[in-house]
Amino acid sequence: MTMLNITVLCSVIDNYGDIGFVYRLCRRLGEISKDIKLRIVCDNLKSFAFMNSGIDPEKAEQEFNGWKIFDWNDSQLCTKEFTDEEPRFILQCFQCRLPEWLEEILYEGKLKGSAYIINVEYLTAEEWADGFHKLRSGTRSVQVKKSFFMPGFTKKTGGLVLDGNFRKCIGDKKFAISMASERLKEDQKKILSGSDYFKILVFSYPRNFNFLVEAINSFSDFSKKKVHVFLARGISSKPFVKSCLEIGAAFEYSELPALEQEQWDAMLCSMDFNFIRGEDSFSRACLSRIPFVWHVYVQDEEFQLVKLNAFLERIRPFFNAGHFEDYKKFCFLYNRTFPVEPGDEACQAIATLKSSLPADEGSAGEEMSSLAAKLLLGAEREKESFEKASAEFLDNGDLAENLLEFINTLQV
């Protein structure tokens, strides 16, 4: 059988979100078929190595997991590789630019055969994703064809990546806890496996966490369980600890060690509540059946509120109306970037709320603390709502399978 020749391009913008998605997609493609020749071109191998320690960030060319991995920045090496064996199907992830050496191969008369670029877009719940899915796009050469492929939350999109490890973590909590525990300290292992703890994961962009520490303090007063916050290593850990010291944390917290992707997935699935950020962890939270709040990548004029609102409206049908409005308001406040003024589209998103938002960061913090405490207290009650949403997203199918089906319809 002829091997399917797929090249995956990844330019790392958000430390782990971009490469996290690429690594997960490639793992899933390998699970589906052994007749795929995968070549991954990444401009930040250090971030890639964070996903799995078997990847050497110092090697410009290497084999891993049956794939060939190349350093995007080594133009001489890549030019030779992709001239000797031309790319056929190119996954241009998140509209990343094409490397200059690949531009030359594709568009400056060096391409002997033909190629098909598939622009795998960012995940969004916005309605335009349905219309853009599989839409054809022009290029500068008749030898090079191009289409969009949209991850998403409806059957009119490509869905989300359903890799085997994550699906097992969802369905088997003992397995998830066992896998997550592999790199944890002994005290963290006991907490993770203990039924007497309410476990919260914080993986966020940097911000003032005073409101959240106050909320967890309040929640711990009423909770029948001890509360432990696991802090993802990285840019949100220090500000959270700072708030714990300023406010005085009435709960336990600890920083996680560096976790590879499979262990991170297991950790997320072992929690009672998740505060997550980015794209890859967001997609996992959507499938996890566990209550969560999403910190969206900050954009100009607070456009992140538009993306947030589209997602929240997508899951609205699964929630009690009154409880949902509290959840939505908290999510909006959590994603505001005071003192930035929201643009017109962000203002339209804010206008969908049934109550007004505080005008400044100080008053916002007070309301966020109250709302966050209510969310944590109602987490068990709302778990069914998140489970229903997860079931629908799972039913939309696997992005990797849908992508391969699409590739098989293309003529190159």
Side-chain angles (χ1 to χ4, degrees):
M1 183 179 291
T2 304
M3 296 287 283
L4 186 60
N5 180 334
I6 298 178
T7 299
V8 187
L9 302 178
C10 180
S11 179
V12 177
I13 305 298
D14 181 16
N15 281 344
Y16 308 123
D18 309 290
I19 192 60
F21 169 82
V22 166
Y23 178 51
R24 185 182 306 283
L25 176 60
C26 291
R27 286 198 294 112
R28 179 59 183 149
L29 290 171
E31 289 173 0
I32 296 170
S33 174
K34 301 303 179 187
D35 297 316
I36 301 174
K37 181 172 184 179
L38 273 174
R39 292 185 289 181
I40 304 171
V41 183
C42 178
D43 68 353
N44 188 333
L45 293 178
K46 186 175 181 180
S47 288
F48 199 171
F50 194 86
M51 297 292 111
N52 192 296
S53 57
I55 296 164
D56 187 343
E58 303 301 323
K59 294 181 71 172
E61 178 182 3
Q62 57 194 293
E63 290 196 18
F64 171 79
N65 203 31
W67 318 328
K68 293 185 76 173
I69 299 174
F70 297 91
D71 184 347
W72 172 306
N73 305 297
D74 194 325
S75 57
Q76 185 176 356
L77 169 69
C78 290
T79 297
K80 183 177 187 312
E81 168 69 22
F82 289 90
T83 301
D84 291 347
E85 185 175 355
E86 294 182 346
R88 285 294 169 259
F89 295 100
I90 302 167
L91 305 186
Q92 186 180 7
C93 295
F94 312 127
Q95 284 201 61
C96 66
R97 72 192 189 282
L98 296 181
E100 289 184 8
W101 51 264
L102 185 56
E103 287 266 3
E104 292 180 6
I105 292 172
L106 295 177
Y107 297 122
E108 295 187 14
K110 297 181 180 180
L111 191 65
K112 299 182 182 67
S114 56
Y116 207 112
I117 299 174
I118 302 171
N119 178 22
V120 183
E121 260 286 4
Y122 282 107
L123 174 64
T124 182
E126 294 165 275
E127 290 184 3
W128 63 264
D130 290 1
F132 265 72
H133 186 51
K134 300 183 183 178
L135 189 68
R136 293 285 294 272
S137 177
T139 73
R140 306 198 312 270
S141 170
V142 295
Q143 292 175 272
V144 182
K145 304 290 191 294
K146 186 173 182 178
S147 291
F148 289 92
F149 197 89
M150 303 296 303
F153 298 98
T154 74
K155 289 187 181 296
K156 293 181 180 180
T157 66
L160 304 174
V161 180
L162 308 180
D163 57 289
N165 177 76
F166 191 79
R167 296 198 74 155
K168 191 168 184 182
C169 286
I170 296 172
D172 187 345
K173 194 158 187 176
K174 286 184 178 180
F175 170 81
I177 290 172
S178 175
M179 171 162 279
S181 297
E182 288 179 4
R183 293 195 177 186
L184 301 186
K185 297 176 182 177
E186 286 304 316
D187 57 337
Q188 290 178 321
K189 291 180 182 179
K190 290 178 182 178
I191 292 166
L192 192 63
S193 60
S195 59
D196 55 337
Y197 274 93
F198 187 94
K199 298 172 278 283
I200 301 171
L201 176 65
V202 175
F203 177 53
S204 166
Y205 296 110
R207 59 164 307 130
N208 184 325
F209 285 104
N210 285 6
F211 74 92
L212 188 53
V213 173
E214 290 171 351
I216 300 174
N217 279 348
S218 178
F219 167 66
S220 64
D221 288 339
F222 294 96
S223 176
K224 295 178 181 179
K225 296 182 177 182
K226 292 178 283 187
V227 179
H228 190 96
V229 176
F230 290 97
L231 302 173
R233 175 172 290 191
I235 54 178
S236 62
S237 179
K238 285 185 178 179
F240 188 90
V241 171
K242 180 181 178 183
S243 291
C244 286
L245 296 175
E246 286 181 3
I247 302 298
F251 54 88
E252 301 173 14
Y253 60 90
S254 64
E255 186 179 60
L256 292 168
L259 300 176
E260 296 184 355
Q261 189 176 72
E262 293 91 332
Q263 295 161 338
W264 171 253
D265 291 350
M267 193 74 195
L268 189 150
C269 290
S270 302
M271 296 294 106
D272 296 298
F273 203 102
N274 289 304
F275 290 86
I276 52 87
R277 76 168 202 234
E279 168 150 339
D280 188 53
S281 292
F282 167 52
S283 72
R284 298 308 96 189
C286 290
L287 297 168
S288 70
R289 305 175 182 170
I290 295 167
F292 73 94
V293 169
W294 177 31
H295 202 180
V296 192
Y297 188 80
V298 175
Q299 295 176 288
D300 293 340
E301 297 185 327
E302 295 205 304
F303 190 78
Q304 71 268 15
L305 299 181
V306 178
K307 298 181 75 67
L308 173 66
N309 188 54
F311 172 70
L312 292 174
E313 290 307 307
R314 185 73 67 189
I315 64 172
R316 176 189 286 274
F318 305 107
F319 287 78
N320 169 281
H323 299 156
F324 180 79
E325 289 305 321
D326 283 344
Y327 175 67
K328 181 172 180 175
K329 188 171 187 179
F330 176 78
C331 289
F332 266 72
L333 287 169
Y334 190 67
N335 279 279
R336 287 296 315 270
T337 48
F338 294 105
V340 174
E341 286 293 323
D344 290 344
E345 290 177 285
C347 285
Q348 291 174 23
I350 292 171
T352 65
L353 290 166
K354 293 187 176 179
S355 58
S356 61
L357 291 180
D360 59 80
E361 189 171 8
S363 53
E366 294 176 14
E367 189 157 5
M368 289 172 74
S369 178
S370 173
L371 287 170
K374 287 175 69 175
L375 291 180
L376 293 171
L377 285 166
E380 191 60 37
R381 177 194 64 217
E382 295 302 330
K383 193 171 190 297
E384 184 179 355
S385 301
F386 287 93
E387 288 173 348
K388 289 177 180 178
S390 172
E392 175 153 305
F393 300 149
L394 286 164
D395 190 53
N396 288 333
D398 174 28
L399 185 144
E401 289 183 0
N402 293 334
L403 178 60
L404 285 180
E405 287 180 8
F406 178 58
I407 288 174
N408 288 330
T409 68
L410 303 175
Q411 299 296 319
V412 177

